[in-house]
Amino acid sequence: MNHVTVVICNYNYERYLAAAIDSALAQDYPATHVMVIDDGSTDGSRPIIEKYGTLISPIFKKNGGQVSAYNLAIEVLETEYVIFLDSDDVLYRSAVSEVMRCFMERDWAKVQFRLDVMNAAGALTGAYVPHSEPPHDCRKLLLDGWLYPSPPASGNAYRVSALRRVFPVPEEGVNRYGADFYAIYGVALSGPIATVPKSLGGYRVHNAGSATVSFANSEQMTRAPKAFNKRWTILRTIVRDRLQMELPPAFHDFSHEKAFFCSNIYHATFLTRWHWMLRDSGRYLHAIVANPFWGLKKKLGTLALSSLCLVPYSPLSDFVVRYIANPLARRRVAGR
C-alpha cells in the first residue's frame, strides 16, 4: 500500500488546530501519516500538538511564513504522496482513500477535490469551491497564461516527486505566504491532474457573511492582485530554470480580475463605475469571454450581471458585486 502524509502547517490557529489534526487522524486509509509543522506560533498551539504524542510527527520551527513551512515539509517528506491541510480546515474521512484511488489509476502529478465552505464556527454554508473542473492536461493553458480552476490549498493532493521539481521557492517578501500558488500551478506543468467531482473536506472562511465582498482568507481583496503578479513573475523564473519552459509575462484568471472589478466598482459612484467599465475593464472582460474553462451560458450570465453595475441604482450595483465576488451571496439568493 502506498503511504500518504497529511501535512498541517499551523501558525497561531489553536482554536481550529485540533479539529484539523483529528480529521487527518480519522482517515479510513490505513497508510496515512500526519505531520504538523508549527511555524513559530505564540498562542497555545504547541501544547495542543504535543498532546497527540506519537500519533503525529511534529516539527516546531522559527516563524518564517507558509512558504518556509512548505519548503521544509517537501524536503523532509518520506512518502510519495502528500496533502497540505490548512490548520483551520478539515478533511472528510474518505478523502485520502478517494485521492489514492485516483493516483493508482494513472501517473497524476496532482489530484484535486472540492471543498465545502464552512463559516468560522465550522457550520456548512451550502457553498463549495471550485465551481469549474479543469482538463487533465493544463500545461498548454498555463503556457498560454491561463490559471486553471483549483480549490484552495487543502483541496489538493500531490505527488511529492512532482513538487520537488518546483520547490524550494524563495521565502522572503511576498513569498512568506501563498505557497499553494507555486504548488498548484507549478505541479500542473510537470504532469496531468485529476479531479474528484465531490467534496472531500471543509474550507473555513472567517469572513463568511453573504453581505461581504471579500471571499479570501489569506489576503485582502486589494492586496491579492499585487501578490499574484509577483508570484507569477517568480514562478516564471522557477519554471524557466528547473522545467525549461517559458511562461508568458502576464497571466489570465477570472478570480484575479474580479478583484480589480470589485475594488473599483463596489460602493463607487455612477460615473466612476461607467468610467472603469468603459476604460479599464478590458482584462476583466477578456477573462470572461476568452475563458477556456467556462461554457457559453456562464460567460453570458457573468457579462449580463456585470452590465447591471452600469445602472444608476447603487444598491443594485453593490449587490451584483457581492454576488460575483462571494459565493455565499449566491446561496442566500437561492435559499429565498
Side-chain angles (χ1 to χ4, degrees), residues 212-232:
T212 184
V213 171
S214 178
F215 186 63
N217 283 327
S218 58
E219 293 165 298
Q220 296 176 356
M221 185 72 75
T222 54
R223 292 176 55 191
K226 294 180 180 179
F228 263 53
N229 285 323
K230 291 179 180 178
R231 288 171 191 147
W232 179 257

Side-chain angles (χ1 to χ4, degrees), residues 33-110:
H33 307 269
V34 181
M35 176 188 295
V36 181
I37 299 181
D38 186 78
D39 190 38
S41 292
T42 57
D43 63 358
S45 292
R46 185 170 188 132
I48 293 173
I49 295 169
E50 290 176 337
K51 78 175 184 179
Y52 286 92
T54 58
L55 293 175
I56 64 174
S57 299
I59 297 178
F60 299 96
K61 62 182 285 295
K62 180 181 177 181
N63 179 253
Q66 185 194 41
V67 170
S68 70
Y70 268 56
N71 281 343
L72 177 58
I74 293 167
E75 177 185 353
V76 303
L77 277 169
E78 297 180 353
T79 61
E80 174 60 351
Y81 304 95
V82 64
I83 296 175
F84 281 95
L85 175 65
D86 284 349
S87 56
D88 57 340
D89 294 341
V90 296
L91 293 175
Y92 297 160
R93 181 174 172 80
S94 64
V96 175
S97 294
E98 294 276 1
V99 299
M100 289 309 298
R101 188 175 297 114
C102 285
F103 274 123
M104 295 304 100
E105 293 173 352
R106 183 174 169 183
D107 191 24
W108 304 110
K110 188 190 92 163

Side-chain angles (χ1 to χ4, degrees), residues 15-17 19-20 23 87-92 115-127 201-208 217 328:
R15 180 179 174 185
Y16 310 111
L17 180 57
S23 76
S87 56
D88 57 340
D89 294 341
V90 296
L91 293 175
Y92 297 160
L115 295 172
D116 290 327
V117 177
M118 309 181 297
N119 64 19
L124 295 179
T125 64
Y203 171 57
R204 196 182 306 267
V205 176
H206 301 276
N207 52 349
N217 283 327
L328 300 184

Side-chain angles (χ1 to χ4, degrees), residues 71 161-169 182-183 185-190 235 238-239 242-243:
N71 281 343
S161 56
L163 283 172
R164 286 176 175 157
R165 298 187 66 189
V166 180
F167 286 80
V169 301
Y182 300 98
Y185 301 116
V187 161
L189 290 166
S190 68
L235 181 62
I238 292 172
V239 168
R242 300 178 192 173
L243 302 181

Side-chain angles (χ1 to χ4, degrees), residues 245-266:
M245 298 180 188
E246 191 66 37
L247 293 171
F251 64 88
H252 311 288
D253 176 59
F254 177 72
S255 294
H256 177 261
E257 297 305 329
K258 80 177 180 184
F260 288 104
F261 168 77
C262 295
S263 61
N264 283 280
I265 298 297
Y266 196 55

